[in-house]
Amino acid sequence: MTAESAANTAAAGPATEELYHTNLLRLQAKQLLSESILPLSSQTGFLDEEVKWTKDVQDYLEVVQKTICTIDAAVLSPDDVVMNKKGAACASTSSDGKGKNKHPKKQKEQQQTQQQRTCWIQLHSDKAKKHFEKKEDSADKNGDSNQQQQQQHKWQIHFPGGDYLQTSCINSYAANGAGLTTATANANVIPTLDLAVLLPAQSRNSSNDDEEEDASGVMIGGKDYLNGRYFDKRNIFAIHLAKYLSQKKQRKHIGSVHVLNELDGDYRKVSLILTPPIPDDGSSETKKNSTKKRKNCESTSNDDAQQDKKKKKDKKKKIRFRIRLVFGVQFDLSSRKKVDCNTGGWIPSARLFPNRCNNKIVQLPDQEGVANNNGTPNYNNALADDMHHLSSTQILSSVSSVALKVFTETWTLLKIWCLQRGFLRGHDTFSEKSLGLSLAYLYRSKLVSVRMDSIQVFTVWMKLMSDTDWMGDKEKLAKKKSTDVNKDNIRHSSSEAYQDLGISSTPGQVSRGGIVMPEINLNEQQTILNCVQNRLHASDVKKNANNDDGTTKPKTLLESFKMNTDSPIFLDPTMTVNYFANISPCFMREMQVEATKALKCIHFHGDSSISRIEPFRQLFLEQQRFWRRYDAYVKMDIKDIAFYSNTELKTNLKELEFWGDDAQDLGAYSAISRGIAKLLRMALGDRITALRLLTTGNGDTTNMLNASSTEFGTRTMVDSDEKVFVPIRSTSNSPYTGFDGSIVSPVTDGVCQVKTITVGLRINPDTCHRFVDRGPPADDLESSSAFVSLWGERKAQLRRFKDGAIIHAVVWNDVEHDLKNGRVQFEGGAKAGDIVERIVRHIFWKHFCKLDTEDLPCPQFALRNITSLVETVQKGSNGEKQVNSSEQAQKEIKSAFDSLVGFLRQNTEVSETPSGISVSKLGLPLRIDAVEALSPCLRYSELFPPAPHPLLGGENSSSTSKKVSGAIVGEPILIQIRFQGSSKWPQDMNAMGAAKCAMLMQLAEGIENMKSRGDAACSQFDGPMNVMPTYLDLGYKGYSFRIIVRADEEMKMLNSLRNPSQEALALKQILQKRHILSAGHHFTIHGVHTKHPSSPQVVRLIKRWLAAHMLSGLIPGEAVELLVASVYIDPAPLFTPTTVSCGFMRCLHLLFSHDWLREPLIVDPEGHIGPDQRSDILSSFERSRGPELKTGPPMFIISPNDLNEDGDNGSSSSSSCRPSFTVHHPERVVLGRICALARRSYDFLMSSSVRNLKSAQDHNSWRSIFQESSNSLKSYSILLRVDNELIYDTECASTGGDLTLSTKAEKIATPFQRSLEKRSLGPKSLRRKLYKNLASSDSGVIYSWNPVNEVVARLRSELGHLAVFFYNEYTPDVIGCLWRPDAFKGQSFSAMYSEYKRPIDNQWEENSLVITNASDVMRVIKSIVQDVVVDVKILDDRSIKSKSSDEGGTKDKNGSGKKGLSGSKRGRSKQDTSSDSDDDSSSDEDSD
């Protein structure tokens, strides 16, 4: 979007602007679709354009289908899935249904045997368990000799052979290719085509009840639908088929075979991934011929060999597709009854009702599970889904036949939108099939027409997802609002509120939404009425109407689904399959939030705030996966979790259990994960706005499988979906060890599935700091009992409140420190989620942690301790902290500032004397109208806020030390005063400066006069008063203030000049930046920091990160504040961060992801910049960059203050649209270094401290990004070692700083706290003893004592054109110098630029007569740093090379010419003294 079009669109009005953006979105989407859609269909010639390798796909599928049909009949057993020979296959632990183990003495032995077994897949059925138990018992009694008796105890599965199998293409490929995308649009996942392999089933009319299937031609039948038997059968056959397809004779045609232990999020089912072989084009024959030739001819030219390699490389073809084998069940159409038309006859249709129990096996590896008779809706749905692969494909195919183009385009857009957010192919998210079916629902239900384009259909789908009350939350909210008097109408403050335990979606909410896929030519209601399954359910309800057990019973089948499952409801036309059965409630809530955001993004409104990221990029291009979406992440080990609700361990506690009774339906992991999400949502309430568990589909999109690798068929592979592809031909050294019966997460660590659960939390900054949760009223016994059961009797206690209520309540104001586990509470942490973390930990300990654990696990937020760099430890019961927290220090500084403002304004009121002279108490002729803050510490941005100094009227912050610093090591608190308007100001610029200085002198003299008269108002002034030409330094209430004068008449005088000189223009820019822009910037940033409590800490953390990498002073502090402000006020497409760690990570990401070369960064906190002004900014940016993008400020940051720098009453001409604080700094090379460091730091934190936390030590791995390694110092040209006597704070050192939490006298100190204490003491040489009778006026306190900063400033001022100087302003122990690339290049002679130059003695070239004199440069450096630096080391020898090559100098034996230049040796470290042996000679050379 160009600047002119944006301006014209803005002038036309909001409606035209919205139309413009909609049309632009259509054009951009069209371009995206042209590059994303994969034209591939199972029907030849159906598509207008097809990929060139369509025939290859069809041929490969034909080969696979023929090969599957050739498999011989066999008798299978659970032993076929065993990977090792130590034991039999892995079986799950179950019970006899009464909660007791039949063989308690052998339980431990069985668990040890299970741990020895490693299996390709997990087996879940009761028959698999009995198979191994009887086999082990028989082996113990009779040994291995009685093979016949062991054979009788086997669970034998008769497979009739490949002729009885049915294969068919399903899903996208069979639906005319709708939904297929290229690998780039598929998150770098190779396109996968689904092929269904349907097993033969036997009708229940001809099947024996629980006997083995003897009938020929069938494999599934009887009561295989019970207790996981069917799933074990299909999975055992899948492994058998995988082994057959991976045989050497099949490998040439089939390629690689991998096992995938899931199918669309269902981990009961196994699928196979087939990767076609790479065509060799007769390479095998060529290889044989070449072998014969080598025998006959021993010598071959190297050129011919290289050409042969090149030809082979060119012949290699890229793997473009994969095949996924999906297993299911055939329908026995000949013998099915009418009521069993949805099940194929082998399952009674009533058994698929969501309230029926078909599984009583509980998978608990370390404890015995208790089965119950609860309904198993998820298990039943998994059975039904395997019988409807073809029917689901028919629905997709019918819709695609009617509206193929738009249907395909919309499906592709939805797929990209979901993949960018991690909403596809996860274990509880959309599958590609369910996503396509939800889109087909829009066409079947007439919500969209075939005439609508893809963007319109995309919008309708978002509206469906957003408006449907899937979880019943909207109904609850409406009831709560409609109630005049409810439990929330209690008198409470922001620190306490009522805890509502009914906020989580649980089964039983009939009012929540649900949809049914309509049949063709029928609407949804007619489909429900004509459904056979629905009528069967109605008759079943009528039959059991007299059985009244006191519970609410569903009247319809749809109500039965709503009451028995917590998943969203989307039923197929037969009402037996729920397409959304695997979708969890927490995912659906998050998806609805994102759908609402997408609708707002699509419906662009001109009156809304404009994001820096355009709508199209927000929707489809910006990645927003799990690891970027949330404020805090916490990991929990599955091994520490116990199913208390399924054991007898807590029966004596008589507490209500909230989770775990659905393990037999969902499986162990899903029961745990959904239980954690449910309980945390109940406990946290409105303290969070989103909660999500990590799923597959959230990996790095750059992680793409390399199918061309020769080891592809034998190596474990993980793509960006983070799913493990296990090769069936794995080698002996394969890292994959199989399943040992333990509970594992579907998420992988790159090799195998991990045993942790990761929870992401988005924290509500408005309510997260609440420390009191009030329980329900005392008369509500049921709710009170649930409240106590949730929190525990020790935590939920009866309390009396000010309104007279005596109720149970939970209080979170206690302070607990656990240094062993790194769990420390920091000051101000409540506003950044500290209470949320404690609640998460309490819920985990109370409801999930094992009782017999010796050391309780300590779940904690990732990167939580990074706050220790900018904050102190919270005050506890073990003692008082030595220094104030940063927040308290800022408040005290603000209080002192307000007091000083009051003094100045009150004592400058002008009154006339009897002689007629107007004068104030301070002797000033004009009244001070305003006092404006300019200092960073007054907007909470100073890393180390100044502490009250005893010699300036403050109290001694250190109770143990009797000495105080004789210098203020930090910058004074900068403020400016504005006098009332007057015509008496001089009209000459020099006189104006003298008048301002005179005002400051009179102000200082007036304060001294008032003190001498004993005026009580001046009692807070202490310390010396230093008047300089442009400022006044004084001490007030222990703080050092620096006062400057802002004279508006001076600016008016400069603006009135018609032909200003260069000096006048330079002075104008300086005054504008010092007085006007700085004041506006302070007001803007102060507003952002007040609104977002964690943003000041992020600013200070970024400053410390920059200083740790020796980048102090190379990027303005105002630019850092604007960067952080942009993260908080314009977080799109994400949400505003709440925690310090999240804000810090987002800021690092912004630094390296923003295109500084082509885009400006517009920071507009209050929405003051309109569309026309934005177009002016873009035009100004384009002009400054130039056509080759090589000019202008490298970091182009614009805020509303930059538009009014000319003081023209808000007009924003294009000439004024330029950055104020980043015009000259950072330089291009510095910005590149910052962006590179930001990327490396972000990637390191994400990989080590966020994603892959494995131990308590990993929580502290973040320290590495705040330190420079000794090797990194070698990248500088020169290193200047600063005298140790000038270093007063070693905690912030770039190479040796201590970033750990320390303890002393039972008090915990953070690095920030230790730095504050050392900075308050100052340098040792300037420390003074503190006496009670010491007169502060004679104390001689030094203001702004920063000798190293002054040295670096001088080096940059005098030698900045030759080198870049790096240092750490907080611990300036080393100054690094990096030569510029053209520092020692030959130049043409010019008298104006002849400083530090000398003529070239030989090798003259055109326009190259002089060169930089290295000796002069080093001599100047030594003269500047002579009192500060004790050692100089030269690492880059370019300066010496240029001299030696020009003068015929010699090099060392290595030819490097590396020399060291050293001064005094005092203070050198051991590392420095072990440097080059040429130091002495280099010092002699420099002295010449």
Side-chain angles (χ1 to χ4, degrees), residues 1244-1298:
F1244 177 81
L1245 290 178
M1246 189 62 69
S1247 61
S1248 64
S1249 299
V1250 179
R1251 288 190 175 187
N1252 301 321
L1253 289 177
K1254 296 180 181 179
S1255 62
Q1257 288 75 16
D1258 293 334
H1259 285 279
N1260 298 321
S1261 59
W1262 53 264
R1263 297 169 183 166
S1264 300
I1265 71 165
F1266 290 93
Q1267 291 180 340
E1268 287 274 305
S1269 64
S1270 56
N1271 291 331
S1272 64
L1273 296 180
K1274 297 179 181 179
S1275 61
Y1276 296 102
S1277 304
I1278 302 174
L1279 290 180
L1280 310 174
R1281 180 72 63 182
V1282 178
D1283 190 352
N1284 288 333
E1285 296 181 0
L1286 303 178
I1287 307 301
Y1288 45 84
D1289 178 16
T1290 58
E1291 301 292 333
C1292 301
S1294 299
T1295 55
D1298 184 10

Side-chain angles (χ1 to χ4, degrees), residues 1063-1103:
E1063 292 79 3
L1065 290 176
L1067 178 61
K1068 178 183 175 181
Q1069 292 180 0
I1070 293 174
L1071 295 179
Q1072 282 178 343
K1073 183 177 180 180
R1074 179 188 301 168
H1075 298 296
I1076 301 176
L1077 295 176
S1078 296
H1081 174 80
H1082 176 89
F1083 179 79
T1084 300
I1085 299 302
H1086 185 271
V1088 174
H1089 290 177
T1090 303
K1091 185 177 181 180
H1092 305 286
S1094 64
S1095 59
Q1097 293 179 325
V1098 176
V1099 171
R1100 296 160 55 214
L1101 199 59
I1102 290 292
K1103 288 183 177 180

Side-chain angles (χ1 to χ4, degrees), residues 9 13-26 604:
T9 304
T16 305
E17 185 178 4
E18 182 176 353
L19 179 61
Y20 173 84
H21 282 277
T22 303
N23 292 333
L24 178 62
L25 182 61
R26 286 191 175 95
F604 183 88

Side-chain angles (χ1 to χ4, degrees), residues 601-632:
C601 195
I602 295 172
H603 298 298
F604 183 88
H605 297 286
D607 56 348
S608 61
S609 59
I610 304 176
S611 172
R612 63 181 175 88
I613 302 178
E614 60 180 357
F616 175 75
R617 183 176 172 185
Q618 289 189 41
L619 289 173
F620 304 113
L621 301 185
E622 194 74 13
Q623 190 176 114
Q624 310 164 44
R625 292 197 164 189
F626 179 83
W627 297 110
R628 287 194 61 204
R629 297 178 60 83
Y630 302 100
D631 293 312

Side-chain angles (χ1 to χ4, degrees), residues 351-368:
R351 300 294 301 188
L352 296 181
F353 291 159
N355 60 344
R356 298 300 174 89
C357 178
N358 290 322
N359 183 33
K360 294 187 177 181
I361 301 299
V362 183
Q363 308 168 38
L364 303 178
D366 298 330
Q367 58 188 101
E368 288 299 312

Side-chain angles (χ1 to χ4, degrees), residues 68-81:
I68 292 176
C69 293
T70 60
I71 187 171
D72 297 330
V75 178
L76 310 178
S77 73
D79 294 333
D80 294 333
V81 301

